[in-house]
Amino acid sequence: MSVNLRLIVAITGASGVIYGKRLLEVLKEKRVETHLIVSKAAEKVLEHELEMTKKDLEKLASHVYNVDDLNAPFMSGSFQTDGMIIIPCTMKTLAGVASGYSDNLILRAADVTLKERRKLIVVPRETPLSVVHLRNLLTVAELGVAVVPAMPAYYHKPKKIGDLVDFVVGKVLDCLGVEHRLFERWSGRKKS
Ligand SMILES: Cc1cc2nc3c(=O)[nH]c(=O)nc-3n(C[C@H](O)[C@H](O)[C@H](O)COP(=O)(O)O)c2cc1C
């Protein structure tokens, strides 16, 4: 089944780049048009955590951009998208989104997404969180950003890491209104 959406996907250098990879896989299966930006720090984390190069990851996206490319179409709000997901989102990129400090393509794309009142979803990953991180999360939430922390649940009885990853990715898809069966939903107490 194909889903008619055009999305910007940004992957930043937090632990958990597997969330971004999995989201791209699912969106590709659903034939969603994806525009991918990978930060320089994310390239390093990709190699470390998934033994994967940026080039390999880019095969999962419809279009790819360099994080320093200030000529990308979505530098302008006139290029229409259905939203943007930053997955995983570092505390550095979160701070940039919260303050409007758009010094790379990821931050400019997020700034445009906000000013055009389009859907912005961030999947922050850090622990523990400082007061600065919490303030920035509150700031973006007040701006209408959907904050979906990389905090998987356990009620669906995960058996492998992929089940935990799918839970978080499924929550992102819920925010986008994209149907999925990545995890079994809680349906109340089962009858014995
Ligand atoms: C292996 C590794 C794991 C990291 N994990 C995190 C993390 O979970 N959260 C975070 O905010 N930063 C993390 N960092 C630090 C960021 O990569 C760093 O702040 C970087 O400047 C972020 O840049 P970016 O937001 O442009 O990707 C990690 C760095 C490395 C090398």
Side-chain angles (χ1 to χ4, degrees), residues 5-191:
L5 285 178
R6 173 190 275 171
L7 297 171
I8 302 169
V9 178
I11 299 190
T12 64
S15 189
V17 285
I18 194 169
Y19 293 111
K21 176 184 172 240
R22 181 66 179 137
L23 178 68
L24 286 170
E25 284 169 356
V26 176
L27 293 177
K28 188 172 184 196
E29 278 164 26
K30 293 182 180 293
R31 296 197 206 111
V32 170
E33 181 183 321
T34 52
H35 295 253
L36 173 67
I37 322 161
V38 180
S39 78
K40 288 182 185 130
E43 280 187 58
K44 295 208 173 79
V45 181
L46 258 177
E47 272 169 36
H48 179 72
E49 293 188 346
L50 299 182
E51 285 160 24
M52 196 176 186
T53 63
K54 182 177 150 199
K55 272 220 154 22
D56 289 332
L57 186 75
E58 286 178 343
K59 290 178 192 149
L60 297 170
S62 322
H63 304 272
V64 296
Y65 304 87
N66 189 293
V67 72
D68 293 323
D69 177 4
L70 297 182
N71 257 326
F74 40 82
M75 286 299 278
S76 160
S78 61
F79 181 81
Q80 292 192 305
T81 71
D82 297 295
M84 173 173 183
I85 308 107
I86 309 179
I87 175 170
C89 181
T90 63
M91 295 304 104
K92 179 197 140 192
T93 292
L94 172 71
V97 175
S99 63
Y101 185 72
S102 305
D103 79 332
N104 68 30
L105 184 57
I106 293 174
L107 290 170
R108 173 61 184 163
D111 205 33
V112 169
T113 303
L114 281 176
K115 87 179 173 73
E116 298 294 332
R117 304 281 199 270
R118 295 177 188 143
K119 204 169 273 185
L120 179 58
I121 300 167
V122 297
V123 180
R125 216 298 327 168
E126 187 50 280
T127 195
L129 293 167
S130 73
V131 173
V132 172
H133 303 150
L134 291 165
R135 282 201 181 116
N136 285 335
L137 286 169
L138 180 60
T139 299
V140 299
E142 284 173 345
L143 294 169
V145 174
V147 177
V148 184
M151 284 183 190
Y154 291 84
Y155 57 76
H156 61 307
K157 305 210 170 103
K159 306 242 166 355
K160 44 191 184 349
I161 290 175
D163 297 336
L164 297 168
V165 173
D166 277 3
F167 183 87
V168 173
V169 171
K171 285 289 185 175
V172 169
L173 295 174
D174 284 352
C175 288
L176 292 165
V178 173
E179 270 182 48
H180 67 87
R181 302 182 76 179
L182 290 184
F183 58 82
E184 197 177 332
R185 292 179 190 277
W186 177 251
S187 56
R189 201 179 295 160
K190 299 246 169 34
K191 282 188 191 151

